mmCIF file of all heavy atoms in Angstrom:
data_model
loop_
_atom_site.group_PDB
_atom_site.id
_atom_site.type_symbol
_atom_site.label_atom_id
_atom_site.label_comp_id
_atom_site.label_asym_id
_atom_site.label_seq_id
_atom_site.Cartn_x
_atom_site.Cartn_y
_atom_site.Cartn_z
ATOM 1 N N LEU A 94 64.634 134.094 130.898
ATOM 2 C CA LEU A 94 64.123 134.652 132.153
ATOM 3 C C LEU A 94 62.980 135.613 131.830
ATOM 4 O O LEU A 94 63.202 136.630 131.149
ATOM 5 C CB LEU A 94 65.225 135.394 132.912
ATOM 6 C CG LEU A 94 66.243 134.548 133.679
ATOM 7 C CD1 LEU A 94 67.363 135.414 134.205
ATOM 8 C CD2 LEU A 94 65.580 133.782 134.814
ATOM 9 N N LYS A 95 61.815 135.311 132.298
ATOM 10 C CA LYS A 95 60.638 136.120 131.976
ATOM 11 C C LYS A 95 60.800 137.554 132.489
ATOM 12 O O LYS A 95 61.202 137.768 133.631
ATOM 13 C CB LYS A 95 59.384 135.469 132.576
ATOM 14 C CG LYS A 95 58.085 136.184 132.223
ATOM 15 C CD LYS A 95 56.887 135.395 132.694
ATOM 16 C CE LYS A 95 55.589 136.155 132.444
ATOM 17 N NZ LYS A 95 55.410 136.471 131.010
ATOM 18 N N ASP A 96 60.501 138.514 131.613
ATOM 19 C CA ASP A 96 60.511 139.952 131.920
ATOM 20 C C ASP A 96 61.894 140.511 132.218
ATOM 21 O O ASP A 96 62.015 141.602 132.785
ATOM 22 C CB ASP A 96 59.579 140.264 133.108
ATOM 23 C CG ASP A 96 58.118 139.945 132.790
ATOM 24 O OD1 ASP A 96 57.726 140.062 131.613
ATOM 25 O OD2 ASP A 96 57.377 139.566 133.716
ATOM 26 N N VAL A 97 62.947 139.796 131.864
ATOM 27 C CA VAL A 97 64.292 140.297 132.147
ATOM 28 C C VAL A 97 64.588 141.586 131.392
ATOM 29 O O VAL A 97 65.414 142.395 131.820
ATOM 30 C CB VAL A 97 65.345 139.216 131.813
ATOM 31 C CG1 VAL A 97 65.460 138.995 130.304
ATOM 32 C CG2 VAL A 97 66.697 139.566 132.410
ATOM 33 N N GLN A 98 63.873 141.817 130.284
ATOM 34 C CA GLN A 98 64.099 143.041 129.494
ATOM 35 C C GLN A 98 63.667 144.298 130.251
ATOM 36 O O GLN A 98 64.058 145.411 129.900
ATOM 37 C CB GLN A 98 63.360 142.950 128.151
ATOM 38 C CG GLN A 98 61.847 143.083 128.222
ATOM 39 C CD GLN A 98 61.138 141.801 128.604
ATOM 40 O OE1 GLN A 98 61.788 140.793 128.864
ATOM 41 N NE2 GLN A 98 59.817 141.825 128.619
ATOM 42 N N SER A 99 62.875 144.126 131.307
ATOM 43 C CA SER A 99 62.375 145.284 132.059
ATOM 44 C C SER A 99 63.388 145.823 133.070
ATOM 45 O O SER A 99 63.195 146.903 133.624
ATOM 46 C CB SER A 99 61.079 144.901 132.796
ATOM 47 O OG SER A 99 61.337 143.903 133.776
ATOM 48 N N LEU A 100 64.453 145.084 133.319
ATOM 49 C CA LEU A 100 65.434 145.504 134.322
ATOM 50 C C LEU A 100 66.396 146.542 133.766
ATOM 51 O O LEU A 100 66.753 146.504 132.584
ATOM 52 C CB LEU A 100 66.237 144.295 134.811
ATOM 53 C CG LEU A 100 65.490 143.232 135.625
ATOM 54 C CD1 LEU A 100 66.448 142.109 135.990
ATOM 55 C CD2 LEU A 100 64.854 143.831 136.874
ATOM 56 N N PRO A 101 66.889 147.444 134.604
ATOM 57 C CA PRO A 101 67.975 148.346 134.183
ATOM 58 C C PRO A 101 69.223 147.541 133.831
ATOM 59 O O PRO A 101 69.466 146.473 134.392
ATOM 60 C CB PRO A 101 68.215 149.205 135.435
ATOM 61 C CG PRO A 101 66.970 149.085 136.244
ATOM 62 C CD PRO A 101 66.423 147.727 135.980
ATOM 63 N N LYS A 102 70.021 148.062 132.942
ATOM 64 C CA LYS A 102 71.179 147.319 132.452
ATOM 65 C C LYS A 102 72.174 146.987 133.561
ATOM 66 O O LYS A 102 72.845 145.954 133.507
ATOM 67 C CB LYS A 102 71.878 148.114 131.347
ATOM 68 C CG LYS A 102 71.096 148.158 130.049
ATOM 69 C CD LYS A 102 71.884 148.841 128.948
ATOM 70 C CE LYS A 102 71.108 148.799 127.642
ATOM 71 N NZ LYS A 102 71.862 149.439 126.530
ATOM 72 N N GLU A 103 72.261 147.861 134.577
ATOM 73 C CA GLU A 103 73.236 147.609 135.643
ATOM 74 C C GLU A 103 72.850 146.415 136.512
ATOM 75 O O GLU A 103 73.672 145.915 137.290
ATOM 76 C CB GLU A 103 73.415 148.851 136.514
ATOM 77 C CG GLU A 103 72.163 149.342 137.182
ATOM 78 C CD GLU A 103 71.415 150.385 136.345
ATOM 79 O OE1 GLU A 103 71.667 150.449 135.123
ATOM 80 O OE2 GLU A 103 70.626 151.134 136.938
ATOM 81 N N GLN A 104 71.614 145.931 136.400
ATOM 82 C CA GLN A 104 71.183 144.768 137.178
ATOM 83 C C GLN A 104 71.356 143.457 136.409
ATOM 84 O O GLN A 104 71.092 142.381 136.945
ATOM 85 C CB GLN A 104 69.715 144.921 137.602
ATOM 86 C CG GLN A 104 69.509 146.020 138.627
ATOM 87 C CD GLN A 104 68.045 146.240 138.983
ATOM 88 O OE1 GLN A 104 67.605 147.363 139.200
ATOM 89 N NE2 GLN A 104 67.265 145.173 139.035
ATOM 90 N N VAL A 105 71.815 143.545 135.183
ATOM 91 C CA VAL A 105 72.088 142.351 134.368
ATOM 92 C C VAL A 105 73.521 142.468 133.865
ATOM 93 O O VAL A 105 73.836 143.334 133.046
ATOM 94 C CB VAL A 105 71.118 142.243 133.180
ATOM 95 C CG1 VAL A 105 71.424 140.999 132.351
ATOM 96 C CG2 VAL A 105 69.673 142.210 133.660
ATOM 97 N N TYR A 106 74.404 141.618 134.377
ATOM 98 C CA TYR A 106 75.816 141.742 134.006
ATOM 99 C C TYR A 106 76.507 140.386 134.093
ATOM 100 O O TYR A 106 75.997 139.436 134.700
ATOM 101 C CB TYR A 106 76.528 142.756 134.910
ATOM 102 C CG TYR A 106 76.488 142.415 136.378
ATOM 103 C CD1 TYR A 106 77.505 141.666 136.973
ATOM 104 C CD2 TYR A 106 75.430 142.818 137.187
ATOM 105 C CE1 TYR A 106 77.479 141.340 138.324
ATOM 106 C CE2 TYR A 106 75.385 142.502 138.535
ATOM 107 C CZ TYR A 106 76.407 141.766 139.095
ATOM 108 O OH TYR A 106 76.365 141.446 140.422
ATOM 109 N N CYS A 107 77.680 140.298 133.484
ATOM 110 C CA CYS A 107 78.471 139.062 133.484
ATOM 111 C C CYS A 107 79.847 139.317 134.089
ATOM 112 O O CYS A 107 80.410 140.411 133.936
ATOM 113 C CB CYS A 107 78.655 138.533 132.061
ATOM 114 S SG CYS A 107 77.173 137.793 131.346
ATOM 115 N N LYS A 108 80.360 138.301 134.761
ATOM 116 C CA LYS A 108 81.745 138.277 135.214
ATOM 117 C C LYS A 108 82.458 137.200 134.400
ATOM 118 O O LYS A 108 82.067 136.024 134.458
ATOM 119 C CB LYS A 108 81.826 137.960 136.706
ATOM 120 C CG LYS A 108 81.232 139.034 137.601
ATOM 121 C CD LYS A 108 81.357 138.655 139.081
ATOM 122 C CE LYS A 108 80.763 139.718 139.994
ATOM 123 N NZ LYS A 108 80.881 139.321 141.421
ATOM 124 N N LEU A 109 83.478 137.603 133.659
ATOM 125 C CA LEU A 109 84.130 136.698 132.726
ATOM 126 C C LEU A 109 85.609 136.533 133.036
ATOM 127 O O LEU A 109 86.269 137.475 133.472
ATOM 128 C CB LEU A 109 83.975 137.207 131.284
ATOM 129 C CG LEU A 109 82.553 137.496 130.788
ATOM 130 C CD1 LEU A 109 82.602 138.095 129.389
ATOM 131 C CD2 LEU A 109 81.712 136.228 130.793
ATOM 132 N N THR A 110 86.114 135.319 132.809
ATOM 133 C CA THR A 110 87.550 135.067 132.736
ATOM 134 C C THR A 110 87.792 134.381 131.399
ATOM 135 O O THR A 110 86.853 134.129 130.642
ATOM 136 C CB THR A 110 88.038 134.169 133.891
ATOM 137 O OG1 THR A 110 87.563 132.828 133.674
ATOM 138 C CG2 THR A 110 87.534 134.671 135.236
ATOM 139 N N ASP A 111 89.037 134.056 131.120
ATOM 140 C CA ASP A 111 89.315 133.434 129.829
ATOM 141 C C ASP A 111 88.743 132.015 129.715
ATOM 142 O O ASP A 111 88.616 131.480 128.623
ATOM 143 C CB ASP A 111 90.824 133.406 129.541
ATOM 144 C CG ASP A 111 91.583 132.587 130.568
ATOM 145 O OD1 ASP A 111 91.056 132.397 131.686
ATOM 146 O OD2 ASP A 111 92.696 132.128 130.254
ATOM 147 N N LYS A 112 88.339 131.400 130.872
ATOM 148 C CA LYS A 112 87.815 130.030 130.824
ATOM 149 C C LYS A 112 86.514 129.853 131.617
ATOM 150 O O LYS A 112 86.121 128.712 131.915
ATOM 151 C CB LYS A 112 88.861 129.052 131.364
ATOM 152 C CG LYS A 112 90.095 128.902 130.485
ATOM 153 C CD LYS A 112 89.840 128.027 129.268
ATOM 154 C CE LYS A 112 89.809 126.570 129.650
ATOM 155 N NZ LYS A 112 89.684 125.676 128.483
ATOM 156 N N SER A 113 85.831 130.947 131.962
ATOM 157 C CA SER A 113 84.588 130.807 132.718
ATOM 158 C C SER A 113 83.694 132.026 132.507
ATOM 159 O O SER A 113 84.148 133.075 132.046
ATOM 160 C CB SER A 113 84.879 130.642 134.215
ATOM 161 O OG SER A 113 85.365 131.843 134.764
ATOM 162 N N MET A 114 82.419 131.854 132.862
ATOM 163 C CA MET A 114 81.484 132.975 132.801
ATOM 164 C C MET A 114 80.456 132.851 133.934
ATOM 165 O O MET A 114 80.079 131.755 134.334
ATOM 166 C CB MET A 114 80.759 133.052 131.455
ATOM 167 C CG MET A 114 79.830 131.893 131.158
ATOM 168 S SD MET A 114 78.430 132.345 130.107
ATOM 169 C CE MET A 114 77.325 133.079 131.318
ATOM 170 N N GLU A 115 80.035 134.004 134.449
ATOM 171 C CA GLU A 115 78.951 134.078 135.424
ATOM 172 C C GLU A 115 77.967 135.144 134.960
ATOM 173 O O GLU A 115 78.348 136.280 134.715
ATOM 174 C CB GLU A 115 79.476 134.477 136.819
ATOM 175 C CG GLU A 115 80.339 133.442 137.497
ATOM 176 C CD GLU A 115 80.752 133.883 138.897
ATOM 177 O OE1 GLU A 115 80.250 134.943 139.348
ATOM 178 O OE2 GLU A 115 81.574 133.190 139.512
ATOM 179 N N LEU A 116 76.703 134.751 134.874
ATOM 180 C CA LEU A 116 75.641 135.714 134.573
ATOM 181 C C LEU A 116 74.920 136.055 135.871
ATOM 182 O O LEU A 116 74.470 135.160 136.589
ATOM 183 C CB LEU A 116 74.652 135.128 133.562
ATOM 184 C CG LEU A 116 73.359 135.933 133.358
ATOM 185 C CD1 LEU A 116 73.660 137.292 132.730
ATOM 186 C CD2 LEU A 116 72.360 135.158 132.519
#
Side-chain angles (χ1 to χ4, degrees):
L94 282 172
K95 184 173 175 59
D96 297 329
V97 70
Q98 73 278 2
S99 64
L100 293 179
K102 288 185 177 181
E103 59 269 19
Q104 291 176 217
V105 180
Y106 59 92
C107 287
K108 294 180 180 179
L109 306 175
T110 72
D111 62 338
K112 292 283 284 185
S113 70
M114 66 150 279
E115 292 183 6
L116 169 66

